Amino acid sequence: MKSSDYKKMRLAIAPMMDWTDRHCRFFHRQLTRRALLYTEMVVADAIIQGARERLLGFDAAEHPVALQLGGSDPGKLAEAAAVGEAFGYDEINLNVGCPSDRVQSGTFGACLMKTPVLVADCVAAMKARVKIPVTVKCRIGVDEQDPEPALDDLADGVFAAGADALWVHARKAWLEGLSPKENRDIPPLDYGRVYRLKVRKPNEFIGINGGIQSLDAVREHLCHADGAMLGRVAYHTPGILAGVDAMFYGEPPAAFDYAALIDVMAAYAARHIEKGGRLGHVTRHMVGLFHGLAGSGLRAFSRAGPCGRGARRSPTASR
């Protein structure tokens, strides 16, 4: 994807730890051909030193798909971004929003809101190494920061460094006193702060994220921002994604063929099992597919096999 094409990315599905793995993304791609998909956050050091195929491998059907990186060392992020580009990702995104203790101990994620100059240096280093878009996902501020200057300072720095987009989770992150789960719900949403940033930056791509629960809400946000990002609602009720292409990308509306989707996913799961994987790796992402539909309590996707056992873990954040 060229930087000049980024304005077309009207809707995205947020990066969510433990949830938006390659199987989840393949499943979501069957529901929408056009929405931008994101990986879970992958730490730059892991890419440089680790098993790259396991960390970065994905199915060609997932395009357009972005790689979200975690880190704060410009050189390492640039190297990891180059690896991601070589793997075929359409975008590199820097995580400046995760509030978890593990991420804070590595001095990246949401705590980078306090060092906007460093974030700009990271963006500049990645832009110098790759030709695909480089973007940032952040909060409106952290802890006692005033969101007005905090978000402006970050935005000014990353766009001056060449960032192609800024996705803003419209909540503060509290690095002390709140858990990652609480950071998704307790700090109040402030969509107006993101809207004001767009007014201030009319020529830059500003996307909004946080608490968006419906496609109608997406449409409202798009009156004030360039893009909107769905998080947990896209995972818990993935059927919502079947309406994305018609509503936001001009595709002709059509009844969604759920039976065909199950056939595709059954074949995909079979290939995964043949490679040594487990059925539950795939089907755990499909549990909410028939949420709200008549007969949904009858395990309507049983043609693909039983779901993996055990409760699904809650994602660390919609970053």
Side-chain angles (χ1 to χ4, degrees):
M1 179 167 58
K2 297 178 181 178
S3 297
S4 58
D5 293 333
Y6 205 89
K7 284 286 187 179
K8 300 175 184 177
M9 294 294 106
R10 295 174 59 77
L11 188 136
I13 300 172
M16 291 178 280
M17 292 295 293
D18 298 325
W19 285 16
T20 51
D21 63 16
R22 62 188 301 172
H23 310 304
C24 176
R25 298 191 307 267
F26 182 88
F27 170 50
H28 284 172
R29 182 55 73 218
Q30 309 315 306
L31 293 157
T32 167
R33 296 191 310 110
R34 304 291 293 277
L36 178 61
L37 306 181
Y38 278 84
T39 69
E40 304 170 85
M41 182 188 68
V42 186
V43 178
D45 280 331
I47 292 173
I48 294 169
Q49 303 170 9
R52 293 177 178 178
E53 178 58 37
R54 178 179 62 82
L55 291 168
L56 300 179
F58 67 94
D59 193 288
E62 294 175 37
H63 289 292
V65 58
L67 169 63
Q68 188 183 64
L69 296 178
S72 59
D73 183 296
K76 291 179 178 180
L77 284 166
E79 184 175 351
V83 173
E85 182 178 47
F87 262 77
Y89 283 96
D90 299 292
E91 172 194 326
I92 303 297
N93 177 265
L94 178 62
N95 184 324
V96 187
C98 180
S100 76
D101 292 340
R102 181 173 63 87
V103 169
Q104 289 182 53
S105 67
T107 321
F108 57 95
C111 61
L112 288 175
M113 291 292 301
K114 298 179 179 180
T115 57
V117 173
L118 176 58
V119 177
D121 289 343
C122 292
V123 170
M126 290 188 285
K127 286 291 292 185
R129 286 290 297 274
V130 302
K131 294 182 173 61
I132 57 177
V134 172
T135 69
V136 174
K137 190 165 188 296
C138 68
R139 296 285 185 126
I140 61 174
V142 296
D143 297 336
E144 300 297 339
Q145 282 185 325
D146 181 342
E148 296 298 327
L151 185 57
D152 281 350
D153 288 348
L154 186 86
D156 288 347
V158 300
F159 284 125
D164 296 282
L166 181 63
W167 291 92
V168 185
H169 186 154
R171 283 187 176 95
K172 268 190 173 185
W174 288 92
L175 304 180
E176 296 184 9
L178 293 181
S179 70
K181 181 180 185 300
E182 290 170 330
N183 262 297
R184 295 194 304 271
D185 300 306
I186 292 177
L189 286 160
D190 187 355
Y191 295 135
R193 178 64 192 94
V194 185
Y195 298 165
R196 291 193 295 277
L197 178 65
K198 179 56 192 176
V199 171
R200 185 170 173 271
K201 295 283 186 184
N203 299 319
E204 307 289 1
F205 185 103
I206 304 295
I208 193 167
N209 168 232
I212 303 174
Q213 297 296 316
S214 69
L215 297 188
D216 286 338
V218 169
R219 183 159 49 191
E220 174 62 27
H221 284 301
L222 291 177
C223 295
H224 308 280
D226 299 300
M229 184 176 276
L230 296 175
R232 285 169 287 168
V233 68
Y235 193 92
H236 287 305
T237 56
I240 192 176
L241 301 178
V244 164
D245 294 351
M247 185 173 288
F248 302 111
Y249 294 97
E251 301 277 343
F256 191 81
D257 190 341
Y258 283 92
L261 168 63
I262 298 307
D263 288 340
V264 169
M265 293 307 301
Y268 175 85
R271 295 194 299 272
H272 177 60
I273 293 168
E274 288 173 1
K275 296 175 182 177
R278 296 181 179 181
L279 178 62
H281 293 164
V282 177
T283 56
R284 74 185 185 98
H285 302 297
M286 302 172 62
V287 171
L289 177 60
F290 296 99
H291 178 80
L293 297 182
S296 62
L298 301 178
R299 291 190 179 273
F301 58 90
S302 59
R303 294 165 58 189
C307 293
R309 295 180 180 178
R312 293 174 294 162
R313 288 177 291 176
S314 180
T316 303
S318 174
R319 309 291 178 209

